[in-house]
């Protein structure tokens, strides 16, 4: 961590003063004070220091994660080389800025973090702010789970707006990313809701009355299938339409051309055209 490296010379200096105070004259102890104060300041502001450094010197994404993007994410594949670097940098920063909490396991695997971060970055790639604060807590369950909001439903995903929490089932999350033509993408689904919370002023389209019929024509996922996949009784069409906009852009443009153009303006990007 950059903050830890920054603090190293002050730690050494404080230890030198302590040594002289112990071995030579206890009066040297007073010289420790400024170093201890500086260390306290660095500790308090370490998140800001680290973020400042990483935004200007973003480390490379793990090569294994880059390969996963290249092999499994059509959106990433069609970007220019410059845009791909920006995409990877944003993924690293998103993973660094957010808290990933496992439930029922010891840790969250890096590939699951990647899938979540890549979905958030994909949806916000046309925006300056890609972190979507205050949704900074991401909880991962191995399989569908109940929650305080939905205690009677073992479901695949949800957001809890009051605490800025996003919850995912790893099983459905990974299937939707790895096999998007066979399984619905719950990551884009939830981030579509988060995006609207963060950008309520944008000109979102009014979806047509036959929206579910159109969405099934676009993806071949019926309303019933998507509802059962997430397993919540109320399933609004908006996040489903956004997920399809990014996953099936050609079919979406063909079946919902007006909604497609409005989403291009809302999200500041066109999935059919490389950035």
């Amino acid at each position: 961590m950059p903050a830890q490296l920054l603090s190293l010379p002050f730690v050494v200096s404080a230890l030198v003063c302590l040594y002289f105070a112990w071995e030579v004259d206890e009066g040297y102890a007073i010289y420790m004070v400024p170093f201890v104060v500086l260390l306290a300041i660095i500790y308090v502001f370490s998140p800001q220091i680290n973020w400042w450094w990483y935004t200007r010197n973003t480390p490379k994404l793990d090569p294994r994660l880059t390969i996963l993007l290249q092999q499994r994410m059509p959106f990433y594949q069609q970007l220019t080389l410059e845009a791909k670097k920006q995409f990877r940098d944003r993924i690293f920063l998103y993973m660094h800025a957010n808290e990933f909490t496992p439930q029922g396991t010891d840790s969250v695997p890096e590939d699951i973090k990647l899938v979540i971060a890549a979905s958030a970055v994909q949806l916000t790639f046309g925006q300056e702010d890609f972190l979507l604060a205050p949704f900074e807590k991401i909880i991962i369950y191995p399989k569908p789970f109940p929650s305080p909001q939905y205690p009677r439903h073992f479901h695949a995903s949800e957001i809890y707006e009051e605490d800025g929490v996003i919850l995912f089932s790893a099983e459905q999350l990974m299937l939707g990313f790895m096999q998007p033509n066979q399984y619905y993408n719950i990551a884009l689904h939830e981030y579509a809701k988060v995006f609207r919370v963060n950008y309520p002023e944008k000109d979102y389209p009014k979806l047509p009355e036959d929206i579910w019929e159109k969405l099934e024509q676009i993806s071949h996922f019926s309303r019933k299938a998507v509802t059962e996949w997430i397993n919540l009784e109320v399933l609004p069409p908006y996040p489903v339409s956004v997920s399809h906009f990014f996953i099936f852009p050609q079919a979406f443009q063909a079946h919902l051309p007006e909604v497609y153009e409005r989403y291009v303006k809302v999200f500041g990007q066109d999935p059919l055209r490389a950035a």
Side-chain angles (χ1 to χ4, degrees), residues 45-251:
F45 290 100
S46 59
Q48 291 87 343
I49 294 170
N50 291 336
W51 183 255
W52 179 89
W53 177 262
Y54 283 144
T55 54
R56 289 157 179 79
N57 304 274
T58 308
K60 289 185 178 180
L61 200 62
D62 186 318
R64 293 170 296 180
L65 300 182
T66 300
I67 290 172
L68 184 60
L69 284 176
Q70 188 61 47
Q71 291 179 340
R72 294 292 184 174
M73 194 172 192
F75 180 87
Y76 175 82
Q77 293 167 3
Q78 54 91 41
L79 295 176
T80 64
L81 289 177
E82 182 180 357
K84 283 181 177 179
K85 182 183 183 306
Q86 182 186 11
F87 196 87
R88 294 193 303 271
D89 287 350
R90 285 192 170 193
I91 286 176
F92 178 91
L93 293 170
Y94 189 91
M95 292 168 66
H96 173 74
N98 290 275
E99 177 185 340
F100 294 84
T101 303
Q103 291 290 330
T105 58
D106 294 332
S107 62
V108 178
E110 291 301 301
D111 60 342
I112 290 178
K113 292 182 183 179
L114 172 81
V115 168
I116 293 170
S119 301
V121 170
Q122 177 180 5
L123 198 139
T124 60
F125 205 49
Q127 311 297 316
E128 285 293 324
D129 177 16
F130 61 94
L131 294 180
L132 296 174
F135 288 86
E136 299 170 341
K137 300 176 183 176
I138 303 164
I139 299 176
I140 310 299
Y141 291 82
K143 292 183 177 293
F145 53 89
S147 69
Q149 284 195 110
Y150 308 103
R152 292 183 294 178
H153 293 82
F154 280 74
H155 52 289
S157 61
E158 67 171 281
I159 66 170
Y160 187 64
E161 186 175 343
E162 288 79 356
D163 290 339
V165 177
I166 312 173
L167 304 94
F168 292 111
S169 160
E171 181 179 40
Q172 279 78 4
L173 176 79
M174 295 305 292
L175 285 171
F177 181 82
M178 301 295 282
Q179 303 177 60
N181 291 311
Q182 293 181 279
Y183 300 97
Y184 179 66
N185 190 306
I186 62 171
L188 287 173
H189 180 96
E190 299 304 334
Y191 278 110
K193 295 190 289 185
V194 170
F195 187 95
R196 193 159 189 168
V197 171
N198 280 52
Y199 295 99
E201 76 286 353
K202 286 185 177 289
D203 187 19
Y204 296 93
K206 181 179 180 182
L207 301 177
E209 292 184 3
D210 62 345
I211 184 61
W212 286 109
E213 178 183 339
K214 296 291 187 182
L215 292 176
E216 182 172 356
Q217 292 171 353
I218 290 166
S219 66
H220 304 297
F221 298 149
S222 68
R223 180 179 186 176
K224 181 175 183 291
V226 177
T227 302
E228 290 178 349
W229 182 244
I230 296 178
N231 199 31
L232 291 178
E233 293 176 350
V234 178
L235 185 67
Y238 159 72
V240 181
S241 69
V242 172
S243 179
H244 289 0
F245 170 74
F246 283 102
I247 298 296
F248 308 104
Q250 290 181 327

